[in-house]
Amino acid sequence: HVLKCCQKVLAWVPVAFIALVVAWSYYAYVVELCLYSLNSYLYFIAVVYLVVFHLSFVMFVWSYGKTIFTSPATPSNEFCLSKADKEQYEKEERPESQQEILRRAAKDLPIYTTTASRAIRYCDRCQLIKPDRCHHCSACDVCVLKMDHHCPWVNNCVGFSNYKFFLLFLMYSLLYCLFVAATVLQYFIKFWTNELPDTHAKFHVLFLFFVAAMFFISILSLFSYHCWLVGKNRSTIETFRAPTFRNGPDKNGFSLGCSKNLREVFGDEKKYWLLPIFTSLGDGCNFPTRLVIMDPEQLAVSSQNDPAKSSVANQSFPTRPLSESQNRLLSGDCQWVETGPEEENVKSGS
């Protein structure tokens, strides 16, 4: 218990470090630069700087706080084994028998992915069948829906419930650092060349530029990478280990096109896209996939050509329809609905 308490306390150290840096940057920019250095002879410019600065500062802190304090979304109770199935699963010693129990329990669940060995994805720690794109986080000790990664800088898992907030946090931190570095640059040069009085503000202005520029460069690469992930509808985990569908591993299995991938994260209403409020589509447990718009005859041909894939074609897949938000994503496309392990139908979406 003492070790766990120490780990929990230490986990907040990166967050505390970021909070201290942000607090110092606020003091250095508002007090030392705008109020102390500029207010005496550039009053109008100081006012404009303060207004824009506070807008970017509020959005940055808001999105950062939402990323930190939004609890990771976990699977619903329907993915937990029943008491009878759980007891039977624990009694069985053969993996084949355990998988048979899991297949029976997952028959009516919206699951389209398996392990690389074609087994049902089951978490022994949480004792539940993992939904698609769900993974167990050892740091949080829970299964997280659409888990992307565990971020030490927010001391939280980035997943379905806060991925939009994380992206906005990166974007607003970039804008914050860019604005600070751009507006401080000319005064940084003047202090450096002794064109301005050599006061205690000089230290703050010099270091403010270096810190803002350093954070901007480091965050830019991370933000660019996650923008690419959103466009491809992948998580960081799926980039390194492609999800396995009935027709084999497919790193683009959840991609519906750049526009629909963007809507899946940010929602249908564009007026809320830049606000750190939850607008992502779906429930985090099931996602529309490229399989719903694939020609079943092509699947059959590919299965015949690949014996490893044909063994999966006979497995039962869920019959539950897609949620309303997912159907909106697929509007205008063909939707795939299974009525049995051997039978496939294709119908046009509304």
Side-chain angles (χ1 to χ4, degrees), residues 46-113:
V47 171
V48 173
Y49 280 3
L50 285 173
V51 171
V52 178
F53 174 84
H54 279 91
L55 285 175
S56 60
F57 180 81
V58 167
M59 296 307 296
F60 163 70
V61 173
W62 186 8
S63 57
Y64 187 46
K66 292 285 285 186
T67 308
I68 295 173
F69 297 110
T70 300
S71 300
T74 56
S76 56
N77 292 332
E78 64 180 330
F79 291 90
C80 298
L81 294 180
S82 64
K83 186 177 180 180
D85 286 339
K86 189 181 298 183
E87 291 177 353
Q88 188 178 0
Y89 179 86
E90 292 174 351
K91 289 179 181 178
E92 290 289 348
E93 296 181 356
R94 295 187 306 152
E96 297 82 5
S97 301
Q98 290 179 331
Q99 276 298 306
E100 187 59 37
I101 296 172
L102 295 179
R103 286 194 188 94
R104 186 171 62 248
K107 182 178 61 174
D108 296 324
L109 294 177
I111 297 175
Y112 292 93
T113 59

Side-chain angles (χ1 to χ4, degrees), residues 1 7 38 42 49 83 118 129 148 182 213 216 236 254 259 280 295 302 335 350:
H1 292 293
Q7 288 176 339
L38 300 183
L42 293 173
Y49 280 3
K83 186 177 180 180
R118 312 295 184 176
I129 296 173
D148 188 88
F216 175 80
T236 301
F254 293 106
S259 176
S280 300
D295 186 354
S302 63
Q335 296 185 19
S350 56

Side-chain angles (χ1 to χ4, degrees), residues 87-320:
E87 291 177 353
Q88 188 178 0
Y89 179 86
E90 292 174 351
K91 289 179 181 178
E92 290 289 348
E93 296 181 356
R94 295 187 306 152
E96 297 82 5
S97 301
Q98 290 179 331
Q99 276 298 306
E100 187 59 37
I101 296 172
L102 295 179
R103 286 194 188 94
R104 186 171 62 248
K107 182 178 61 174
D108 296 324
L109 294 177
I111 297 175
Y112 292 93
T113 59
T114 64
T115 65
S117 59
R118 312 295 184 176
I120 299 295
R121 299 170 65 243
Y122 182 74
C123 179
D124 291 305
R125 182 77 175 177
C126 298
Q127 295 186 324
L128 53 80
I129 296 173
K130 295 179 183 179
D132 293 340
R133 316 186 82 174
C134 175
H135 300 275
H136 185 86
C137 174
S138 57
C140 298
D141 198 27
V142 292
C143 282
V144 180
L145 296 179
K146 197 187 176 183
M147 179 178 174
D148 188 88
H149 68 288
H150 184 89
C151 180
W153 297 107
V154 300
N155 190 28
N156 199 3
C157 257
V158 177
F160 176 75
S161 62
N162 63 351
Y163 190 59
K164 177 190 174 183
F165 307 149
F166 178 73
L167 289 172
L168 292 179
F169 155 61
L170 294 179
M171 184 185 75
Y172 286 122
S173 60
L174 269 180
L175 294 177
Y176 179 76
C177 292
L178 179 62
F179 175 78
V180 170
T183 54
V184 167
L185 177 60
Q186 58 176 315
Y187 306 104
F188 166 81
I189 296 174
K190 289 181 180 180
F191 272 120
W192 192 266
T193 56
N194 295 319
E195 292 183 30
L196 291 178
D198 193 4
T199 63
H200 63 280
K202 179 177 182 178
F203 166 81
H204 292 284
V205 172
L206 294 179
F207 275 88
L208 186 59
F209 174 78
F210 281 121
V211 171
M214 179 186 67
F215 273 94
F216 175 80
I217 294 172
S218 60
I219 296 174
L220 179 61
S221 59
L222 182 61
F223 179 65
S224 301
Y225 173 68
H226 278 278
C227 287
W228 178 78
L229 288 180
V230 171
K232 297 291 185 180
N233 203 340
R234 297 181 203 167
S235 66
T236 301
I237 295 176
E238 290 164 354
T239 302
F240 294 98
R241 186 172 65 248
T244 302
F245 296 86
R246 60 177 298 168
N247 59 325
D250 186 357
K251 60 183 179 181
N252 294 317
F254 293 106
S255 181
L256 305 174
C258 187
S259 176
K260 293 180 180 179
N261 294 341
L262 195 65
R263 287 167 52 198
E264 189 172 305
V265 175
F266 289 94
D268 286 327
E269 299 189 58
K270 294 182 179 180
K271 60 183 178 181
Y272 297 123
W273 280 15
L274 299 181
L275 296 177
I277 56 178
F278 185 81
T279 54
S280 300
L281 299 182
D283 57 6
C285 290
N286 55 340
F287 298 88
T289 72
R290 293 202 310 158
L291 285 176
V292 299
I293 56 175
M294 285 185 68
D295 186 354
E297 293 182 0
Q298 293 179 355
L299 272 177
V301 171
S302 63
S303 297
Q304 290 175 0
N305 295 335
D306 192 338
K309 295 180 181 179
S310 63
S311 63
V312 189
N314 295 324
Q315 291 186 9
S316 298
F317 278 78
T319 59
R320 167 185 279 194

